[in-house]
Amino acid sequence: MNESGSLDGTGVPLARVQASDGNSSLELSSLLPVFAINPWDVVLCISGTIIACENAIVVAIIFYTPTLRTPMFVLIGSLATADLLAGVGLILNFVVQYVIQSETISLITVGFLVASFAASVSSLLAITVDRYLSLYNALTYYSEKTVLCIHMMLIVTWGVSLCLGLLPVLGWNCLDDYSSCSIVRPLTKSNVTLLSASFFLVFIIMLHLYIKICKIVCRHAHQIALQQHFLTASHYVATKKGVSTLAIIIGTFGASWLPFAIYCVVGDLDYPSVYTYATLLPATYNSMINPIIYAYRNQEIQRAMWVLFCGCFQSKVSFRSRSPSDV
C-alpha cells in the first residue's frame, strides 16, 4: 500500500489505520479533515501547557532574584529553561499539526523539540555532576574553578543539544525515504537510535554518580556519628532519607525516559501508534516533575516565590546559602 501524508510537529503524527498487515503507522494523513483531532495529541498539548507554566515560574524566580546566582541555581535555571522550551514545543506541535499544516514549519518544530528535550536531559546530567562535585570537593566547591566548570558544562549542554536538534532540519530525516522512518516520523531509524544511545549513556553516568554520592553521604554521616562517639537514631533516619531522595530522583528519571528510549530502538514503523504515544507521554511528564524535584522543594526558591508573587517577605530577608547536596 502506498504511503502518503504530512508531518506532525513532534514527529508523532495522527494515527491512521492502514490495510497493510492490520497495523497502524504513525503518519498524519493529508486526507483527514482538520477537525479529526487525535485525543493523544490533545493530551500532549495539555501536558505542554502545564510544563510551560510550571517552568516559566521557575525561570522568572531565578531571573528576578539576585540571591539565586550560585552555580546550583544557574543549572536549575538551565533545566527549567529547557523544560519550558519543551512545553512550548509540544504546544507548537499541536498548532502546526492542526492549524498551520506546513511541512517546513513542522520539520523545524521537530528539531526544536529534539533540542529542548536533549537540553533537559543534559541539564539533569550537569546537575548530577554539580552535586557530586559539591560533596567530593566540598572545600573548594565555591571557587572560581567551579564556576568555570559550570559554565563549560552549560556551553557543552546547549551546544550538543542544538546540534542534535539541527540534524533533522539539515536533512537527516525520512521525508524522501519512507522506509527509513522510525516510530517518530520524520526522524530516521538511525537518528532515534543515536538519540536513544545518547540517553542510555547519560543515564548510566547519572546512575554511577548517584551511587557514588550515596556512598559519600553515608560515609560522611557515619563519620559525624563517630565523632559524637555514638550512633543515634537520627543518624540512620537522615542517611535513609538522603538515600531515598536520591533513589526517587534517579528512579523518576529512568521511569520517565527508559520506556520511550527502549521502544525507539526496538519499535518499528508498522507497530500501532498507541505504543509510541504511551511511551512518549511519560517522557514528557519528566519535564513536569523536574521543577517539583529540583526547584519547588528548595527553601530559597519557595521564599523567592512568595516575594515575587505575594510580597510576603521584605527584600532584606536573608537567604541561607545551600549547596547542591541540600537540594
Side-chain angles (χ1 to χ4, degrees):
M1 186 175 194
N2 293 330
E3 306 294 346
S4 64
S6 59
L7 293 175
D8 170 301
T10 61
V12 183
L14 206 60
R16 178 163 61 93
V17 179
Q18 297 178 316
S20 176
D21 300 326
N23 291 326
S24 62
S25 67
L26 287 177
E27 185 178 8
L28 177 63
S29 174
S30 59
L31 300 178
L32 286 176
V34 175
F35 57 83
I37 299 178
N38 190 329
W40 286 101
D41 293 321
V42 175
V43 174
L44 285 174
C45 182
I46 294 174
S47 299
T49 304
I50 297 174
I51 291 169
C53 292
E54 270 187 319
N55 289 280
I57 293 174
V58 177
V59 172
I61 290 172
I62 294 178
F63 182 80
Y64 287 106
T65 308
T67 54
L68 303 181
R69 295 291 187 269
T70 62
M72 173 182 67
F73 289 111
V74 171
L75 291 175
I76 292 177
S78 172
L79 174 63
T81 301
D83 287 333
L84 169 61
L85 294 177
V88 172
L90 291 174
I91 299 172
L92 290 177
N93 159 63
F94 187 84
V95 174
V96 170
Q97 181 178 350
Y98 292 103
V99 180
I100 300 178
Q101 296 183 342
S102 168
E103 188 173 273
T104 302
I105 298 178
S106 63
L107 188 59
I108 295 175
T109 306
V110 170
F112 183 82
L113 278 167
V114 170
S116 300
F117 281 117
S120 176
V121 173
S122 300
S123 294
L124 287 174
L125 175 60
I127 290 175
T128 305
V129 173
D130 181 56
R131 287 183 169 182
Y132 174 74
L133 292 177
S134 71
L135 291 171
Y136 186 76
N137 297 321
L139 297 178
T140 60
Y141 174 74
Y142 290 101
S143 65
E144 293 184 0
K145 183 178 180 181
T146 300
V147 176
L148 178 61
C149 178
I150 297 301
H151 289 164
M152 289 300 299
M153 283 197 296
L154 287 176
I155 293 174
V156 173
T157 292
W158 286 94
V160 172
S161 301
L162 180 61
C163 290
L164 291 175
L166 286 175
L167 289 178
V169 179
L170 296 179
W172 199 4
N173 56 65
C174 61
L175 296 183
D176 298 326
D177 183 11
Y178 183 84
S179 62
S180 66
C181 285
S182 67
I183 60 169
V184 185
R185 193 169 183 262
L187 299 181
T188 64
K189 182 71 174 178
S190 57
N191 195 332
V192 296
T193 300
L194 171 64
L195 294 175
S196 297
S198 300
F199 167 79
F200 293 139
L201 178 61
V202 169
F203 181 74
I204 291 174
I205 295 174
M206 287 181 61
L207 183 61
H208 175 70
L209 288 177
Y210 272 121
I211 290 176
K212 298 186 73 171
I213 289 174
C214 283
K215 292 180 179 179
I216 295 175
V217 169
C218 294
R219 184 170 65 250
H220 285 182
H222 185 72
Q223 290 174 349
I224 293 174
L226 289 179
Q227 290 176 357
Q228 297 175 349
H229 304 294
F230 60 90
L231 298 177
T232 62
S234 60
H235 159 73
Y236 293 105
V237 173
T239 304
K240 182 179 179 180
K241 182 180 178 180
V243 174
S244 299
T245 300
L246 296 177
I248 291 174
I249 291 174
I250 194 67
T252 300
F253 177 63
S256 299
W257 277 104
L258 276 175
F260 182 66
I262 294 174
Y263 187 64
C264 281
V265 176
V266 302
D268 190 81
L269 181 61
D270 294 328
Y271 288 3
S273 61
V274 65
Y275 296 160
T276 300
Y277 282 110
T279 54
L280 174 63
L281 197 58
T284 64
Y285 286 164
N286 184 244
S287 295
M288 193 182 300
I289 298 172
N290 284 338
I292 299 175
I293 294 178
Y294 294 95
Y296 293 132
R297 291 173 59 249
N298 183 276
Q299 292 182 4
E300 278 82 356
I301 290 183
Q302 290 174 3
R303 293 183 182 182
M305 188 184 305
W306 285 110
V307 172
L308 185 62
F309 295 106
C310 302
C312 297
F313 291 88
Q314 299 297 325
S315 58
K316 64 181 180 180
V317 174
S318 62
F319 292 83
R320 180 174 65 90
S321 178
R322 305 175 72 190
S323 69
S325 57
D326 294 325
V327 180

